[in-house]
Amino acid sequence: MTERSARPELGPPQSPMLEIGASVPRADAWAKVIGAEHYAIDHYPLGLLWAGARRAGLAHARLRGVAIEAARALPGVVAVLTAADVPGTNRQGIVHKDQPVLVEDHVRHWGDPVALVLAEDRETLRRALALVEPDLEPLPGVFDIAAALRPDAPTLHPGGNVLLEAEISTGDTASAWDVCAAIVEGTFDLPFQDHGFLETQNGVAQVEPDGILTLTVSTQAPFRDRFEIAHALGLDPLRIRVISPYLGGAFGGKDGATVQCLLALAALHVGGRPVKMVWEREECMIAGYKRHAARLCYRLGALTNGTLHALDCQLYFDTGAYAHLGGEVMELGLEHAGGPYRIAHTRMRGWAVYTNNPIGGAMRGFGVCQASFGFERMLDRLAAALGRDRLDLRRQNALRRGDRNAAGVTLVHSTGLAACLETLSRHPLWLERDRWPDQAPPLKRRGVGVAAVFNAMGYGRGLPDAAIAKIALTPDGRFRVDSAVSDMGQGNASAFAQIAGQILCQRADAIELVQPDTARALPSGSSSAGRTTYSYGNALVRACEALRAKLLHRASLLLMVDEPSGLALLPGRVRHLPTGRDLPLARLAAMLPETDRVSIEQFVMPVSQEVPDTGKAFVIGFPHVLFAYAAHLAYVEIDTLTGKLEVCRYLAVTDGGRVLNPRNFDQQIQGAVAQGIGYALCEELRLQEGRILNPDFARYLLPTSLDVPDIASLAVATVEDTGPFGMKGIGEVGINGPLPAIASAVEAALGRCPSQSPLEPRRLVAEVAAPSASDDAPR
Amino acid sequence: MTQVLIPTSLPELWSALREQPSAHLYAGGTDLLVKRRAGLLDPAILIHLGRIDALRGVTADDDGLRLGAGCTHRELLEDAQVRAVLPVLTQALQTLGSPPIRAMGTLGGNLCTASPAGDTLPPLYVLDAEVELWSAGGERRLLLRDFILGPGRTALQSGEILAAVRVRRAPHGSVQHFEKVGLRNALACSLVSLAALVQTNPAGRVKHAAFAWGSVGPTVIRVPEVERHLIGQPLSLSVLSEAAVLARRAVAPIDDLRADADYRRQVAGNLLLRLAETGSAPER
């Protein structure tokens, strides 16, 4: 005790002025650090029941029936539900409604739910789930892209195994190859990646006495969830309320229904009792969405002077058992398949294919992460073929504002790739790159790699990317922001506080942040696509400006001044500057009725005004007009005896427009790079006939703090005219760089690089052939 | 419901073992809890060994060190005598699990789990460590390599516990070396590991060599022909490359999720090359 009391008292940091551009502490930091934050998983309403899903345990089968009697007879079991108990369509899915809440007769992947069990406690639930017996007739399965596309392949869905096939083309690739001085080719394979969020999918649901179905759930899309649930279960979406507390991570994996429909179904059957569902880690891995496995076939040609001239590529995405956002992921992959470069002639074709593998879905980098490996490997090979410096070739071809990108879209918004590459080229890590391999210890090889990447923001054309912000002056003279877009850890809620503080001139403790609640906030889309701070922030800027103008007008009445021009908002008060008189905000609030203390404004993201004569298969989502850009650099060291690769130094230079909070900016980049290093080095879902062999964190390996180097982050702060305070979203772009940058470094070190990721020791040791000169150096 | 008995002295322990002969013994619990959650083990009665002082601590005499089986990995890692006398064990402990696991897990637990991937085993094999086995009836000693019978199997008899590990001092001037290959730098199960204890004469020729490989067979593997091959030879890349061929022939790895047998076999040999006195190019 004495030791403890000797320490300075811990407490939340002093409330700072919230200003744009300052590294003010995150609004959620203190509550999270002391463990006070209530995530969805921390909600334990009184009298709750536990719900759990019985998973099929076979990747492809006919479900002839489900024996539930034994489970139902177990004391403590309240209900066992099957597809027959599902009202409504029994179909969920963000765009394509092809995924059953509970399987009727066709099991399409290992984790398909066949029954829902409700029990008084978790142990009873576990035992009851084991007593549910699905009667399965195994069917021949489809376990990779090539197998799915065979003419005689078993079909998984009525429309066949191709969810979506599309093409984006520009120029004339038929004749473009003839003038190319160098043509390079490659085929690349990438595995499924898990999101690896800490808080697994979970929530609680309850039918309230007034008949409203209320869910508190770990979700990225509370407003859309209402419609998903309503469609699947035949309910009125406006009689469903969804509350989305801070999420313990998501990265795309909680975009779309996870527990929502199952929880809602459970709640409908228990007479108003609350129901809780928490997926354990293994269930999270087996039933959750994944980054799509992909195969990329590339052919890229350049003119003698290094100008990229022609691209032909085919991108295949394994969307697993259900569509989720497979078509949209493929769209993004295709739209980015040419890289952040000018290429006059392109033919980019894509397929999203059903298999009996786990469900491919949204994940940070959303199709672009995969394509980045392809186009950046091509750039390195082209540089080698032309005898050009890798960075120099990228700078020569980098997209600039006013160019048309490889999808034929004119870039009218901020385009800072050239500045990113320029900044990288002047960095000591690049200038001193030759010293790195020269100083390799014995039995090690070293290399330096670079990558240029980009990532679109927003939903793209055809699906309005809108947000409606709401801010109110509270009776005690503070401001409450009703956020409508979830904060899954990326820090958008803190950015909202900073925006409000900047415009209303308030300290952090005067801004109250309410996390999304469909009963309080207004529909603003999902927390995804790098659009969260941009879209909601833009709406909030408008709402704050309108509120400021209104409050100053109202204050002029109380202060008896003729006009509000001499009035200024200050922390906690309004001041009449000519006379120095202050009006506390609490006093101003007391004068105003609640309806007058609120400000609500909407923003809709701009879309392309061009109508490219390509990409016709994409009804929504093509094209995009706003992009974040980045240039990455990696120093790697490879052990020739073991094939073990270390990423020793890393630099990420990012164009995300103006930076609202430098610390949050750097942390988001560093987090993305760390996740990207995992994708590059060790993360891989191991599958055997659709069954995940490593559904836990002992066998599915995420990088630890010892596997990730210090990551230098530099911002190229272009100004995005349409963004709040000139910003663009950077949630995704950072994850696209590590795999290609590390692969580039591996090739520099070994003279070649595996075309299959992750770059595990077993793959690299095979590439270590004749020792290089550096092995001769004395120890 | 699991019953956990927590004896605080040896007499209490012996009586607990007498009354509950089927009880499962544990110390740090780092393996037990994983197996329990996976449904591989669900003992009705547990006996916790972590509160018995007689099982703790490191003591030194002229011959060597006696390591209490109840010492946590962190305690051993921080022990000045262990660092000075058994650097090969210290090196291995640095790669074991993560700080929380090293804080909870014990040497005795790592040995009794008897996994071929146990990180403390290869160093103790090359040091020809002995184990002290205690029971109510007395004490017996076994060489560690005779104590470990197979994956998860030891020579422990009913009513018997692993009390300590005895390690003799290595000859002065010996090189002690450990390397573990994992798929990441912490919290990684070894794909293959190598512990080495090599003594050379003033001319740089090998007088004595001991090597033990982890994760390439049902138990940790010593390969006498490799050790013999090096006697009288310099630790050059060419000599070590020859030894590597013998090592690859002797190990018996399996394929699993983490690595295939070919990789393990290849690398088991390669790891010997790290011992080269000078870094000339490895020969293939």
Side-chain angles (χ1 to χ4, degrees), chain A residues 282 639 642 686 702 707 775, chain B residues 37 184 257 263 274 279:
Chain A
E282 290 83 349
D639 189 290
T642 65
R686 305 291 290 272
L702 302 166
D707 299 287
D775 287 332
Chain B
R37 184 178 179 281
R184 61 183 170 190
L257 262 189
Y263 174 84
R274 200 85 69 197

Side-chain angles (χ1 to χ4, degrees), chain A residues 247-273:
Chain A
L247 287 82
F251 309 110
K254 295 169 184 170
D255 193 3
T258 57
V259 296
Q260 289 89 328
C261 296
L262 292 167
L263 265 178
L265 176 64
L268 295 178
H269 282 83
V270 292
R273 285 183 71 178

Side-chain angles (χ1 to χ4, degrees), chain B residues 209-274:
Chain B
F211 300 105
W213 281 266
S215 299
V216 286
T219 63
V220 168
I221 290 178
R222 294 256 315 241
V223 184
E225 42 289 28
V226 170
E227 296 172 2
R228 277 199 302 273
H229 183 81
L230 291 183
I231 301 297
Q233 303 265 25
L235 284 176
S236 66
L237 277 176
S238 58
V239 168
L240 290 165
S241 297
E242 291 160 17
V245 173
L246 298 175
R248 290 187 198 109
R249 217 172 275 159
V251 297
I254 56 164
D255 290 322
D256 69 13
L257 262 189
R258 295 181 182 94
D260 54 38
D262 289 345
Y263 174 84
R264 289 188 156 100
R265 185 184 302 281
Q266 175 69 26
V267 174
N270 289 358
L271 288 182
L272 284 171
L273 305 191
R274 200 85 69 197

Side-chain angles (χ1 to χ4, degrees), chain A residues 745-756:
Chain A
V746 168
E747 192 160 271
L750 304 181
R752 60 203 153 265
C753 178
S755 57
Q756 198 173 0

Side-chain angles (χ1 to χ4, degrees), chain A residues 190-343:
Chain A
L190 302 103
F192 284 100
Q193 184 185 19
D194 187 71
H195 304 80
F197 39 73
L198 275 181
E199 183 196 21
T200 57
Q201 300 89 333
N202 77 93
V204 294
Q206 183 170 20
V207 179
E208 308 281 355
D210 60 3
I212 299 289
L213 172 64
T214 300
L215 293 94
T216 299
V217 61
S218 192
T219 178
Q220 292 174 239
F223 287 91
R224 195 209 299 126
D225 285 347
R226 295 185 302 172
F227 291 88
E228 281 256 26
I229 296 165
H231 181 269
L233 304 183
L235 305 175
D236 176 357
L238 304 181
R239 306 267 297 157
I240 300 172
R241 175 185 180 191
V242 179
I243 300 166
S244 164
Y246 281 112
L247 287 82
F251 309 110
K254 295 169 184 170
D255 193 3
T258 57
V259 296
Q260 289 89 328
C261 296
L262 292 167
L263 265 178
L265 176 64
L268 295 178
H269 282 83
V270 292
R273 285 183 71 178
V275 183
K276 186 175 175 77
M277 179 181 236
V278 178
W279 291 1
E280 301 223 351
R281 178 61 59 191
E282 290 83 349
E283 186 174 22
C284 158
M285 297 278 278
I286 289 164
Y289 306 112
K290 303 283 171 275
R291 182 190 304 291
H292 291 72
R295 162 162 279 209
L296 321 170
C297 305
Y298 264 82
R299 187 165 193 246
L300 179 65
L303 306 179
T304 320
N305 67 3
T307 302
L308 301 184
H309 190 65
L311 169 70
D312 193 335
C313 63
Q314 296 102 49
L315 277 55
Y316 300 89
F317 290 88
D318 181 348
T319 200
Y322 298 105
H324 191 265
L325 288 171
E328 292 66 33
V329 165
M330 187 264 279
E331 189 286 320
L332 260 285
L334 221 54
E335 194 177 348
H336 291 74
Y341 306 110
R342 286 180 306 278
I343 310 176

Side-chain angles (χ1 to χ4, degrees), chain A residues 383-404:
Chain A
L386 292 165
R388 289 282 301 274
D389 174 83
R390 290 170 294 168
L391 184 58
D392 194 42
L393 186 66
R394 287 171 167 89
R395 291 173 71 181
Q396 177 187 347
N397 290 285
L399 285 171
R400 289 160 199 274
R401 195 168 181 186
D403 287 343
R404 278 209 169 89

